[in-house]
Amino acid sequence: MNQPPSDMKYGYYHKIRQLFVYLKPRDKSRAGECRRCGACCRFMADCLFLKFDEEGLSACGIQKIKPYTCSKYPLNKKEHHTRDNCGFRFPAESE
């Protein structure tokens, strides 16, 4: 997988871009569940609302009003940037 630029401006650009990408429907073939690793919340730019408990598991600090884009991640195989850590999979991805 290509490494994204470490420039923070690009990171925030990516997060804004995701808002529009995530208006599309989620791929119904997505399987698995969240492992609470926090990788998706740290991808490109750390989320301000990412919290960790005593066991090191991540949680959304604004869970009750969590952004729609966050709850739909990963949307599809192409947008699955954290597949090495993520508990979600798509049929063509290896475990």
Side-chain angles (χ1 to χ4, degrees):
M1 180 165 80
N2 292 335
Q3 290 295 325
S6 60
D7 179 9
M8 289 302 286
K9 288 182 182 177
Y10 180 82
Y12 289 112
Y13 163 79
H14 178 76
K15 296 243 183 221
I16 291 168
R17 179 185 163 275
Q18 279 183 310
L19 290 173
F20 295 102
V21 168
Y22 278 73
L23 293 175
K24 299 188 297 187
R26 188 182 75 219
D27 185 335
K28 291 184 186 340
S29 69
R30 182 180 86 170
E33 61 186 38
C34 179
R35 293 183 182 162
R36 294 183 58 196
C37 67
C40 57
C41 300
R42 293 184 306 232
F43 178 70
M44 299 297 284
D46 287 354
C47 177
L48 299 173
F49 305 110
L50 179 62
K51 306 290 182 214
F52 289 91
D53 64 15
E54 310 82 45
E55 298 172 15
L57 297 175
S58 69
C60 179
I62 57 168
Q63 183 66 34
K64 292 183 180 183
I65 57 170
K66 185 185 223 179
Y68 188 57
T69 58
C70 299
S71 56
K72 285 180 75 175
Y73 183 83
L75 182 66
N76 55 45
K77 183 179 175 185
K78 181 181 176 186
E79 297 292 327
H80 195 191
H81 303 293
T82 59
R83 65 179 54 92
D84 293 339
N85 300 30
C86 188
F88 291 108
R89 296 282 179 250
F90 294 90
E93 295 177 353
S94 61
E95 295 289 354

